[in-house]
Structures are given as C-alpha cells and as structure tokens.
Amino acid sequence: MIERLRQYVPVLDWGRTYTRGAFSNDLIAALIVTIMLIPQSLAYALLAGLPPEAGIYASIVPIVLYSIFGTSRALAVGPVAVVSLLTATAIGQMAEQGSAGYAVAALTLAFLSGGLLVLMGVLRLGFLANFLSHPVIAGFITASGILIATSQVKHILGVSAHGHTLPEMLGSIFQHLPEVNWVTVAIGTLATGFLFWVRKNLRPFLNRLGVPPVLADILTKAGPVAAVVATTVAVWRLDLAAEGVQIVGRVPQSLPPLTLPGFSPDLIRALAIPAILISIIGFVESVSVAQTLAAKKRQRIDPDQELIGLGAANLGAAFTGGYPVTGGFARSVVNFDAGAETPAAGAFTAIGLAIAAVALTPLVFYLPRATLAATIIVAVLSLVDLSILKKTWRYSRADFTAVTATILLTLGLGVEVGVASGVALSVLLHLYKTSRPHVAEVGLVPGTQHFRNILRHDVETVPSLVTLRVDESLCFVNARFLETLIQSRVTEGCTVRNVVLMFSAVNEVDFSALESLEAINHRLIDMGVGLHLSEVKGPVMDRLNRTHFPDKLNGQVFLSQYDAWSSLAQSETSAGGATRLSSVGG
C-alpha cells in the first residue's frame, strides 16, 4: 500500500532522503528562478489577456502541487508563452479581455486541462504523446514563437493593434502606425536591445572581469529584473505615463485568492477542444524538457505520473486565480543549471513568488508594458528554429511537407488550427509511412550466411526464387501494399517458382494482415508458386498457429533464411537452374 502511494505521490519517495546539501542547492536554484519568474509571469499573463497578477498566482500553488506529484527533479512549472497564446486565442472570442467572464473562462480552461491530464495519467495514457512527431511539434512551436513576438510589437510601438494570425497582426499594426508613441518606442527598443545583450554577452563580460561563476550566473538571470527596475524608475521619475506610455498600473497586493471555474455546460462545451489541445501541447513540451534534463543526471521520469503532476498543477491554478500552466523550457534549464536537486526547489520558488505577491507588487505600478513585451520577445525568439525546414528537407520530404504545412497553417489561420493540424499531420504522417513499409528483395552475400538488398550489394540470386524481407509489422494499414508488391513481382510468364517472406523484422501480424497472407497464398497456389516464411518470431508464430494458415500454407516455415536458401535454391539448381551474381546498385 505504501509503495503504491509513493508511486502516485513521489514526494514520499525523494522526501525520505532529503539532505541539508540538497536543501542548500534547492534554495539557491529557487532564488535564481524566482528572480527570473517575476517579470516573466507578469508578461505571460498579459500575453494571455489576463491581469498581470494572474501570472504570479499561476506560479505559486501549481508549482507546489507539481513538486508533490511530479517526478522530474528540475522541471519548473508555470505560465509559458505558447500556452498563454493558446489561452488568449481560446477565450478571446468568447469574452472581452478584462471582463469577469474572461477570467472565469481562463479558470475553466485550466480546470478542464487539469482534469483531462489527471484522467490520462490514471489511465496510463502517456504513450499518446508519441503520436506527435518531433518535426511537427518543432514547426508549431516555431510558428507560435513568430506569432507571439509579432503580437508584442504593438506594445513596443504603443499602438492598439489586434489579430490572431500573422496577416491580421501585420495588417493591424500597419494600419495603426500613425498612432505610434515614440517615447514608448524608445523604451521598448532599449529594453529589447539590453535583454538581447544580457542573454548573449553579459556572462562572458562578467567572466572577463573576474566575477565568480555563480554570481555571474545570478546577474545574467537577473537581466530582465534590471530592465524592469530601470524602465519603471524612468517612467515614474519622468512622468512618462502622461506622455502616453502604457503602464501595468495597480496590481493587487495579496496571495492567490480562492476561485471557482465556471461549470456552465455551454462554457465547458466551447472550451473542451481548446483544453484538449492545450493539454497535449503542454504535456509534450513538458515531458520533452523533463526527459532531457533527467538524462543528464541519469535519472528517469514517469510520463504517466507527469500527467498527474501537470494535471494537479492546472487544477491548482483553476482554484487560485490562475490559468493553464505547464513545464517551461527556459526556466527549467535555469533551475537545472542553478543546481536544483529535488522538486523542493519548486516549492521554495513558490514561497519566493508569494512574498513578491504580498510585498513587491506596488513597485510595478509604473512598469511600462513595452518592457514586458520586450521580455516576451527575447524569450520566445529562442523558440524559433527555422533550421528545422532545412534539416527535414535534407532528411525526409514527407517530414518537410508536414513541418511546412504546420508552420504555414499556424501563421495563416491561427494557433488552434495550427496545433490541430499538427496533431492530424503527425497521425497522417505515421499512417503514410506505416502504409508503405520497406520491403527489400534480398540475396545471399557470397561466402556468408547473410542476406542483403539486391539493389545495394553484390549478392547471389536464383531467378526462380524470390526472397522479400519485410521490415515492419504487418497490419491493416499496410497489408494491401504487400499483396500488390508480390503480385507485381510474380507476374505471368516469369520463371519464379518460390517466394520466401523473411519475417525477421515483423513483430506483429494483425487479422487484416493474416487475411492478406491467406489471399497471397491462394493466388500463388493458382499460379503454381510456393509461399514460404522464414525467421518468424516466436510470438508471431504462436498467433499464426492459432489459425488454419500454417496448415493451408503451400510452402514451409524455415527457422532461418539460410535454411530456406539452402533447401529451395539447391532444389532449383539440381532441377537445371543456376545462381547468378546481382550487382544492381553496387
């Protein structure tokens, strides 16, 4: 009972061996991540169309719940750019920003996402994330990064543009260019340039000055805070708000409030699909980061328990004034690099943010929105990876087509269409590849017992014997492909007398594929051609033996391909045939 409880509540496992050294390392990591999260949380809340305090609230209780139920030692949970954009897109058409209905919709979205993730975790459905191909996800995140950065240009310019797609945003920005506030432009441009410089050059600069590495790292991570402080003081001292500079304004000075999501059937129905999409994207992004960081320390995570941890975090956000959250790439890497050893670092981060929510929020009254926009732009542009187009073009045209379509659909039709198309394209790409399995005609490598593709190697072949190596499991998707291939190879008038299917790579034969094998057997019987199998794996043979197929097979089942060759090729040679060397393709 205790062991099963530890499986679902990992804190009971790692908490037993928690040491003073781990406490010290977690505390330092929490300090660095807290400094980074304060401006980031405010910025992402505004990106989601919510009051800035919602970002702080979404970074307190959710982090604590994940530290209890999650399995990653370094994953930092909270608002992220892509999920914030998806949130704004999902509820932006249902309610007006700033209204009570908008806030309730955000809570409901977090509730639905959390409930779905927990349900998937309990049902052990973490494997479903494998159906999303990495190139398609990379394409969606790249397009989302471009959309997010473009959406923040209006704050840099100080204009009131709108739109959910790239053409709409660019058209609206161009339309409002006469309204540009040049003071805001100066603040936004300087903040953006400074943050880019901090990201690329501050640490090397501090290292050259002899600053200790730990302090240099903290100062680098505190770059956004420096930008926030400098621009806030400038707006306050110079009274730039009177010049039209948009500021954050009053932020409630309190801990996260207790809130309730909406349970209206119409609201739930309208948000169901967006909640599914947010859950999928959030889980894939989170588990990818968690697995990468865990591998560096030879640790492991449990994807199914990660679903429960992320689900609990989102449920916590729903009842404490937040909105959907997931594991963030940037803050998780910072947490890892800062030395976090256990999920307790997340709990300490939550304490730091709670202190900030109570004590520091009055200090951001004069914080210009252009600075928060600069923070978002610098953060999300690191997500943009257009090199994925070049890589997939060189490696696989099918993957390139899927990535390109995902990017164009996301930019042209919006993130909801983009993520839905990404999911659909991932599944279709898998089905397309599965429907066309690699089947190679093989021959004997001279002087060995190995068989290789006749199009790639110099091998011995017998005109009357055809051996086809099937390099994938056979199922309803590809069974017909094998039928057609054999039919085209064993044509009327040819000298083929035996066909061997080499099953060394076949892990499963489903019922549809069994029927196809039976159809192939019947056709070859009518043509006077023997059908044989070789190197059939035990579990596959066990299943075939439960049917009448082995009894009706007009050939044999050989233990190895060399046994099949020795038996069938020799019988053909003794009957007057001859072996020949195939050198097609070298």
Side-chain angles (χ1 to χ4, degrees), residues 479-480 482-483 511-521 523:
R480 187 72 64 182
L482 185 61
E483 282 189 58
F511 191 77
S512 297
L514 173 65
E515 291 184 328
S516 289
L517 290 176
E518 291 174 340
I520 292 169
N521 187 50
R523 288 196 189 114

Side-chain angles (χ1 to χ4, degrees), residues 453-458 581-586:
N453 192 331
I454 65 172
L455 300 179
R456 295 178 178 272
H457 302 273
D458 293 331
L581 192 66
S582 173
S583 59
V584 181

Side-chain angles (χ1 to χ4, degrees), residues 492-504:
E492 185 178 355
C494 74
T495 60
V496 176
R497 295 171 58 85
N498 288 286
V499 173
V500 180
L501 296 181
M502 186 175 173
F503 270 26
S504 56

Side-chain angles (χ1 to χ4, degrees), residues 181 183 187 231 234-247:
N181 184 291
V183 178
I187 293 173
T231 54
V235 171
W236 169 56
R237 294 291 295 175
L238 302 176
D239 194 20
L240 297 181
E243 301 295 328
V245 174
Q246 296 178 352
I247 59 175

Side-chain angles (χ1 to χ4, degrees), residues 202-226:
L202 181 57
R203 185 181 286 109
F205 175 73
L206 293 175
N207 290 337
R208 287 195 299 270
L209 294 178
V211 176
V214 174
L215 180 58
D217 190 60
I218 293 176
L219 292 175
T220 301
K221 300 300 186 299
V225 176

Side-chain angles (χ1 to χ4, degrees), residues 266-280:
D266 292 337
L267 180 61
I268 292 176
R269 191 161 40 248
L271 294 176
I273 298 301
I276 293 173
L277 299 179
I278 286 175
S279 299
I280 293 172

Side-chain angles (χ1 to χ4, degrees), residues 7 11 39 67 103 136 192 202 258 270 302 316 398 422 464 479 495 534 561 574:
Q7 177 184 349
V11 67
S67 68
V136 167
T192 304
L202 181 57
L258 292 177
D302 180 354
S464 59
T495 60
S534 74
Q561 177 56 33
S574 63

Side-chain angles (χ1 to χ4, degrees), residues 377-449:
I377 290 173
V378 174
V380 301
L381 286 183
S382 63
L383 303 176
V384 176
D385 179 21
L386 294 175
S387 68
I388 191 68
L389 295 171
K390 183 178 180 180
K391 294 174 184 175
T392 52
W393 173 261
R394 287 181 173 179
Y395 190 76
S396 168
R397 296 294 192 273
D399 284 327
F400 171 80
T401 302
V403 170
T404 304
T406 302
I407 291 176
L408 293 178
L409 287 171
T410 303
L411 294 177
L413 299 178
V415 289
E416 284 191 341
V417 174
V419 68
S421 65
V423 173
L425 286 170
S426 294
V427 174
L428 289 175
L429 189 60
H430 171 72
L431 293 177
Y432 173 75
K433 292 178 178 179
T434 305
S435 69
R436 301 177 62 84
H438 183 258
V439 179
E441 184 171 344
V442 298
L444 178 67
V445 178
T448 72
Q449 296 185 9

